[in-house]
């Protein structure tokens, strides 16, 4: 029996959700973790301080939309699984500058899918059968609910911001690479995450920090919106 150690490629692993996932992977499994991250403003290397010196963890600085870097990562580390978290994710920023969201969320996902497909096709049968490409998306691709109701996986896709539209586009690409090429893909559409190391532009840390400072608390619209929350450690698990 082969003693080869499985490798998980995590994109955007220095981000809020990605870092929680990597901390759990390193602490609770025996896989090797490769983190491909562009290290943008939202990255927080302090969130990975407990694993940075672990030989099971490797950080590669690079853009998921850079085909050369992505192909090099696949060639060097030969992952058995891809967990794709790298994304621009703030709605307000997407309204002010949608180009970055198209670049990372759409073109970046396409670039990663192309490299994953080539890699998967060349794997020996046993590893090919076990390979998975997990795309971590958002429930915002379904748009907004009315006063009642809930989203399911079968809900119509009705994105309402450049951010959610770019994530919906990425979801469609992932499904297409599964249907057209047979790449074994999975998609999760999680609700709002909260927890440690979240970037302070997001609602819960923003409100918490402003309250501590005694500052005013910004209210969006009529303040009647309802949100569903998922703790980041639960999501990672």
């Amino acid at each position: 029996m082969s003693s080869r150690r499985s490798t998980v490629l995590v994109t955007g692993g220095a981000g809020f959700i990605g870092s929680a996932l990597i901390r759990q992977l390193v602490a609770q499994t025996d896989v090797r973790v490769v983190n491909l991250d562009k290290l943008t403003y939202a990255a927080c290397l302090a969130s990975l301080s407990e694993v940075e010196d672990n030989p099971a963890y490797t950080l590669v600085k690079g853009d998921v939309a850079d085909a050369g870097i992505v192909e090099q990562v696949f060639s060097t580390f030969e992952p058995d699984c891809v967990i794709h978290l790298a994304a621009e994710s703030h709605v307000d920023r997407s309204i002010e500058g949608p180009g970055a969201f198209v670049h990372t969320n759409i073109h970046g996902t396409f670039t990663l899918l192309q490299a994953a497909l080539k890699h998967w096709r060349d794997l020996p049968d046993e590893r090919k059968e076990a390979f998975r490409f997990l795309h971590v998306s958002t429930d915002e691709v379904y748009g907004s609910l009315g006063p009642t109701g809930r989203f399911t996986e079968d809900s119509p896709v009705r994105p309402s911001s450049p951010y959610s539209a770019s994530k919906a586009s990425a979801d469609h690409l992932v499904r297409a690479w599964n249907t057209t090429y047979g790449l074994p893909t999975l998609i999760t559409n999680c609700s709002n995450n909260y927890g440690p190391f979240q970037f302070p532009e997001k609602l819960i840390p923003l409100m918490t920090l402003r309250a501590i400072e005694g500052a005013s608390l910004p209210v969006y619209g009529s303040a009647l919106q309802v949100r569903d929350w998922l703790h980041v450690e639960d999501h990672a698990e």
Side-chain angles (χ1 to χ4, degrees):
M1 181 177 293
S2 172
S3 60
R4 180 184 176 278
R5 190 177 197 177
S6 295
T7 298
V8 176
L9 170 60
V10 178
T11 69
F16 171 48
I17 300 174
S19 61
L21 173 64
I22 288 176
R23 291 194 302 271
Q24 288 192 17
L25 284 171
V26 173
Q28 300 174 20
T29 78
D30 61 355
V31 301
R32 179 173 64 163
V33 180
V34 178
N35 174 14
L36 175 61
D37 197 297
K38 191 178 178 180
L39 299 181
T40 65
Y41 77 95
C44 177
L45 289 177
S47 65
L48 293 167
S49 60
E50 66 187 65
V51 303
E52 63 182 1
D53 295 324
N54 192 305
Y57 170 73
T58 302
L59 171 64
V60 178
K61 183 179 179 181
D63 186 349
V64 290
D66 185 327
I69 290 176
V70 171
E71 290 168 8
Q72 183 178 10
V73 167
F74 274 91
S75 175
T76 301
F77 297 102
E78 300 184 344
D80 299 275
C81 170
V82 177
I83 305 180
H84 178 35
L85 285 143
E88 294 284 347
S89 65
H90 192 52
V91 173
D92 292 349
R93 286 180 182 267
S94 79
I95 295 170
E96 297 170 2
F101 289 73
V102 171
H103 172 79
T104 298
N105 300 356
I106 301 177
H107 186 63
T109 300
F110 163 74
T111 302
L112 197 64
L113 284 167
Q114 287 289 81
L117 179 62
K118 180 179 183 298
H119 168 72
W120 172 72
R121 283 173 166 169
D122 291 338
L123 288 174
D125 289 345
E126 184 177 355
R127 290 182 60 200
K128 188 174 184 178
E129 178 67 25
F131 184 87
R132 294 293 184 274
F133 183 107
L134 171 57
H135 173 59
V136 180
S137 187
T138 171
D139 65 353
E140 292 193 41
V141 301
Y142 301 118
S144 300
L145 285 172
T148 61
R150 60 187 295 181
F151 294 126
T152 73
E153 291 180 340
D154 297 321
S155 297
V157 175
R158 294 173 175 167
S160 54
S161 70
Y163 161 60
S164 57
S166 68
K167 291 295 286 186
S169 300
D171 290 7
H172 289 319
L173 289 175
V174 173
R175 289 191 188 95
W177 261 242
N178 172 261
T179 302
T180 304
Y181 304 112
L183 183 69
T185 64
L186 299 163
I187 301 174
T188 60
N189 297 92
C190 66
S191 59
N192 296 276
N193 280 220
Y194 72 101
F197 298 106
Q198 188 167 26
F199 195 73
E201 69 185 359
K202 299 302 178 94
L203 180 65
I204 289 180
L206 174 69
M207 291 294 194
T208 302
L209 291 170
R210 290 182 71 91
I212 290 171
E213 296 167 355
S216 61
L217 305 180
V219 174
Y220 294 90
S222 61
L224 297 178
Q225 295 91 343
V226 176
R227 292 190 179 190
D228 183 77
W229 294 96
L230 173 63
H231 195 279
V232 69
E233 298 290 344
D234 292 333
H235 183 193
E237 185 176 356

